[in-house]
Amino acid sequence: MFLKLSKFFLYLSLFSVLIVSPTLYFPYIVGKAVFFRIAVELAIVFLAIWWAWEADSRRAKPAAEEGGKKVGWLRRLASEQPLTLAVSAFGIAAVLACIFGINPWFSFWSNFERGEGGFQILNYISLFFLAGVLFKSEVEWSRVFKVMIGISLAVVAYGLLAAFNVPGVIGPQGLLSRLSGTLGNADYAGTFMIFAIFYSIYLLTKEKMRWMKWLLWLTVVVFFIFMLLTQTRGAIVGLMAGVFAFLVYGAFKMQKGRAKKWFVGLTITFIVLGGAFFAAQHSLDKVKNCSICDRYLHISFNAYTFQNRFWAWGEAVDAWKARPVLGWGPEEFSAAFDKYFNTNYFNPNSASNETWFDRAHSIYFDYLAETGIIGLLAYISIFTVFFWQFFSKTKKKVLPSGEHQTHHRHLSVVQEGLILGVPVAYLVQGIVLFDVLPTYISVMLFLAFANFELKRYGQRS
């Protein structure tokens, strides 16, 4: 019973993405953070109770042995679950950055405006561990993805209701006003849709019923259109990078035949069309009276939004130089911004009216300034380990006879390509965007799923 309760609250934590509290000063943040923390921590409590009272300790496996000697738990963890170790290292680095930052109390607990301090990061990491412990089968992960698809559709529906000015629904009005759904910021919504598209396409690769396949394809179209309506250029570029990684992987991994030809052809087409778009984007004057088209036709380093980010990144580097090891502490970029303020923000000829930031608007520069080189490397190590594990698990081995041998494969090349493409998309969009609750939930959930799938390679089910 307690295990089911733990799983229930873990599912419930995912719905925090939908919480909007119009009566609060930060309607899109406070309710989400409080709801998420309560749900995750209740999941931890019930899992602990289950472990103490209901789990059968007699089923525990004996410690692994190597050469007649017991292998240490840390060494086993590093060899069997390196991704788990990397996520844990990031959590430790974040806590240390809080302790040695300029304001440990604030860095750990944060405030109502962001709510992304060390305590919240520990809750996100708890989501990763809980998902790994509680979801142990394909059926359960398929159910999780279906829940996330439903949540994503609710995000879209809320954004459309706000666009049409439905009473009681807050948010940008009008379809051309950068829709944000329940997330309150179009940039967050754009990144969230990357993962929503993944959930739908991944389930498509496993679905057998034709009507369900059509329904999943419909959700893919809905999510992509909504992403376009968010007008989040970073998310679109990230998605394109993920698609490119998927196509290249398929072109190399597919055996000779029609499927390989399709992947090669699509890869070449993607490159040609992408190059043509960027070459011609500034000459397409006929559609520049459309605000959405105008944003996508001005993906340039000279755009004022990129200039703002360049200045913020420079300040992040200056802040890192002052505190290089563990940084200023989570949530303390604003202090660094004030100290190393770039006067270019007051350029009267600039199209931007933003003169203050509490984020560097890049996951890399944010972690560099707030958690130092230790925190940044710990975060990058998560994805370094993921890519290393992914390619080492999926690579082919050549036998002496010249035949190819692989690990026991339970994933198709398409499914492997999807799992590869998601972190590529996330890491690319993260160059110009930063992590918030919906993003953290999506990333930690994906990493737990990837860990589940990668551990199964070489195992007979």
Side-chain angles (χ1 to χ4, degrees):
M1 180 184 73
F2 291 113
L3 191 64
K4 290 182 179 179
L5 284 171
S6 179
K7 192 175 295 186
F8 167 77
F9 282 108
L10 183 58
Y11 272 114
L12 197 63
S13 71
L14 306 179
F15 286 85
S16 59
V17 174
L18 301 180
I19 302 297
V20 179
S21 311
T23 58
L24 299 178
Y25 192 63
F26 300 105
Y28 297 103
I29 298 172
V30 180
K32 287 180 174 62
V34 173
F35 186 91
F36 176 77
R37 293 176 186 181
I38 292 174
V40 166
E41 285 152 27
L42 284 174
I44 295 173
V45 168
F46 285 113
L47 182 63
I49 294 174
W50 168 82
W51 180 81
W53 295 99
E54 294 183 353
D56 187 356
S57 60
R58 292 174 298 178
R59 295 181 181 177
K61 297 181 180 179
E65 296 186 359
E66 183 177 316
K69 297 180 180 180
K70 290 185 177 180
V71 180
W73 67 270
L74 187 60
R75 187 175 175 184
R76 290 203 311 275
L77 185 64
S79 62
E80 297 174 7
Q81 298 195 49
L83 194 57
T84 299
L85 191 63
V87 172
S88 302
F90 171 67
I92 294 171
V95 172
L96 290 175
C98 291
I99 295 172
F100 294 100
I102 63 173
N103 189 342
W105 180 269
F106 179 72
S107 287
F108 189 75
W109 295 109
S110 187
N111 58 14
F112 291 118
E113 183 177 2
R114 289 295 185 186
E116 301 293 349
F119 181 69
Q120 185 77 337
I121 290 175
L122 291 179
N123 277 275
Y124 295 138
I125 292 174
S126 297
L127 172 66
F128 168 83
F129 281 102
L130 287 166
V133 170
L134 297 175
F135 304 138
K136 289 185 170 295
S137 70
E138 289 187 32
V139 173
E140 288 180 312
W141 275 109
S142 293
R143 189 178 299 124
V144 171
F145 285 1
K146 290 175 183 176
V147 168
M148 290 304 297
I149 289 172
I151 291 171
S152 301
L153 288 172
V155 170
V156 172
Y158 191 93
L160 293 176
L161 291 175
F164 290 105
N165 198 21
V166 174
V169 179
I170 62 174
Q173 297 176 6
L175 289 176
L176 302 182
S177 58
R178 298 202 67 194
L179 304 189
S180 59
T182 61
L183 308 189
N185 186 306
D187 291 342
Y188 309 160
T191 300
F192 192 72
M193 288 299 114
I194 291 176
F195 293 91
I197 291 171
F198 164 73
Y199 303 138
S200 293
I201 296 180
Y202 191 83
L203 288 182
L204 259 169
T205 64
K206 291 180 173 291
E207 187 57 56
K208 303 298 182 183
M209 293 183 287
R210 179 174 296 182
W211 69 271
M212 192 64 183
K213 283 180 175 288
W214 281 106
L215 187 60
L216 287 169
W217 272 121
L218 178 61
T219 63
V220 171
V221 173
V222 169
F223 295 148
F224 182 69
I225 292 175
F226 188 78
M227 176 187 282
L228 292 177
L229 292 175
T230 68
Q231 303 179 43
T232 308
R233 290 173 290 191
I236 288 294
V237 173
L239 179 64
M240 294 302 101
V243 171
F244 182 68
F246 166 77
L247 292 175
V248 171
Y249 182 81
F252 277 98
K253 293 290 288 189
M254 280 289 185
Q255 299 295 319
K256 292 181 179 179
R258 180 177 297 179
K260 187 176 185 71
K261 291 178 181 179
W262 269 103
F263 268 100
V264 172
L266 287 172
T267 302
I268 295 173
T269 302
F270 188 91
I271 294 173
V272 171
L273 291 179
F277 170 79
F278 281 104
Q281 59 175 320
H282 294 294
S283 62
L284 301 176
D285 296 323
K286 293 182 179 180
V287 295
K288 286 188 177 181
N289 58 343
C290 166
S291 61
I292 295 181
C293 302
D294 186 60
R295 280 186 62 83
Y296 291 128
L297 292 173
H298 282 86
I299 301 177
S300 168
F301 291 119
N302 295 322
Y304 71 85
T305 53
F306 281 104
Q307 291 298 318
N308 284 349
R309 283 166 167 79
F310 290 148
W311 298 333
W313 297 348
E315 293 174 7
V317 172
D318 290 337
W320 168 69
K321 290 177 181 178
R323 302 178 67 90
V325 181
L326 287 167
W328 292 57
E331 298 285 54
E332 287 294 351
F333 179 77
S334 57
F337 184 92
D338 292 342
K339 184 170 183 177
Y340 301 102
F341 182 76
N342 190 323
T343 56
N344 286 322
Y345 284 107
F346 282 123
N347 181 357
N349 296 320
S350 172
S352 172
N353 58 3
E354 292 185 86
T355 58
W356 187 82
F357 293 106
D358 64 349
R359 289 290 188 275
H361 285 76
S362 168
I363 57 176
Y364 308 103
F365 289 101
D366 272 320
Y367 289 129
L368 181 66
E370 295 185 355
T371 63
I373 193 65
I374 299 295
L376 176 61
L377 290 178
Y379 193 73
I380 292 175
S381 73
I382 295 175
F383 298 95
T384 302
V385 168
F386 166 82
F387 289 120
W388 166 76
Q389 194 175 13
F390 176 86
F391 286 109
S392 65
K393 292 280 189 178
T394 59
K395 70 180 180 180
K396 294 180 179 180
K397 294 181 179 180
V398 181
L399 300 175
S401 62
E403 297 177 354
H404 290 285
Q405 181 188 35
T406 64
H407 293 281
H408 175 60
R409 307 180 75 90
H410 58 278
L411 294 174
S412 67
V413 172
V414 171
Q415 291 163 345
E416 290 173 359
L418 289 170
I419 293 175
L420 174 65
V422 172
V424 171
Y426 164 73
L427 292 171
V428 170
Q429 67 83 40
I431 296 173
V432 294
L433 297 172
F434 55 92
D435 287 335
V436 290
L437 183 143
T439 314
Y440 272 116
I441 288 178
S442 300
V443 170
M444 290 301 169
L445 201 62
F446 170 80
L447 289 173
F449 167 72
N451 200 35
F452 161 77
E453 289 289 11
L454 292 175
K455 284 192 301 182
R456 297 171 64 206
Y457 267 86
Q459 298 177 2
R460 297 279 178 181
S461 56

